[in-house]
Amino acid sequence: MHLAYPVVLSALLFCTGLYGVLARRNAILVLMSVELMLNAVNLNLVAFDVWLSRTAEETLHSGQALALFTIAIAAAEIGIGLAIVLAVHRNRGTANIDKLRDTAEGPGPDAPDGPGGSGGPGGAASDSDDAPTTRAAVTKAEASA
């Protein structure tokens, strides 16, 4: 068997996984795409190990051993990643990466401090307490005006 067949298959798997990581918004699908990329690397490791063992006089099979380590690390990564995604889904109610990223970022430097309306550590209210703070409140205020 030629080396080109598994290498091309591995490249296609890796590109599919890369597309999944970059385009998907669900955290579980992103983890599955990372797993697909790791499996493409494992396929390359085993294919090159078999190809090089034909030319070498002693067969160490280091590519296959490295593939086993990669499989073990990938299993641990998926276990921990799924545990984190499930905990976040229970707390936030979504596994959408964009919504999780929006909630992780703090308010900007010009934004009010939050729903409490406290202006600072002294507890003084800011001047923007009467201003609508959400997009729904803005559209409601515009519709009533």
Side-chain angles (χ1 to χ4, degrees), residues 15-96:
C15 289
T16 304
L18 185 65
Y19 173 75
V21 167
L22 295 177
R24 298 292 179 188
R25 299 294 172 230
N26 191 349
I28 294 175
L29 292 177
V30 170
L31 286 174
M32 288 175 59
S33 298
V34 169
E35 190 73 24
L36 195 63
M37 292 168 65
L38 288 172
N39 284 332
V41 170
N42 286 338
L43 180 62
N44 260 342
L45 285 171
V46 172
F48 277 103
D49 180 53
V50 169
W51 183 65
L52 290 174
S53 69
R54 288 182 185 171
T55 59
E57 290 158 8
E58 68 264 352
T59 55
L60 295 175
H61 298 294
S62 58
Q64 293 179 17
L66 192 58
L68 286 176
F69 282 119
T70 308
I71 289 170
I73 290 171
E77 175 255 335
I78 285 295
I80 292 171
L82 282 176
I84 291 171
V85 168
L86 287 175
V88 167
H89 182 69
R90 285 185 193 147
N91 289 335
R92 305 266 174 101
T94 184
N96 191 345

Side-chain angles (χ1 to χ4, degrees), residues 107-129:
D110 296 333
D113 285 339
S118 63
S126 64
D127 294 335
S128 64
D129 283 339

Side-chain angles (χ1 to χ4, degrees), residues 106-144:
D110 296 333
D113 285 339
S118 63
S126 64
D127 294 335
S128 64
D129 283 339
D130 296 335
T133 57
T134 63
R135 183 175 293 163
V138 170
T139 56
K140 186 177 178 182
E142 289 174 355
S144 64

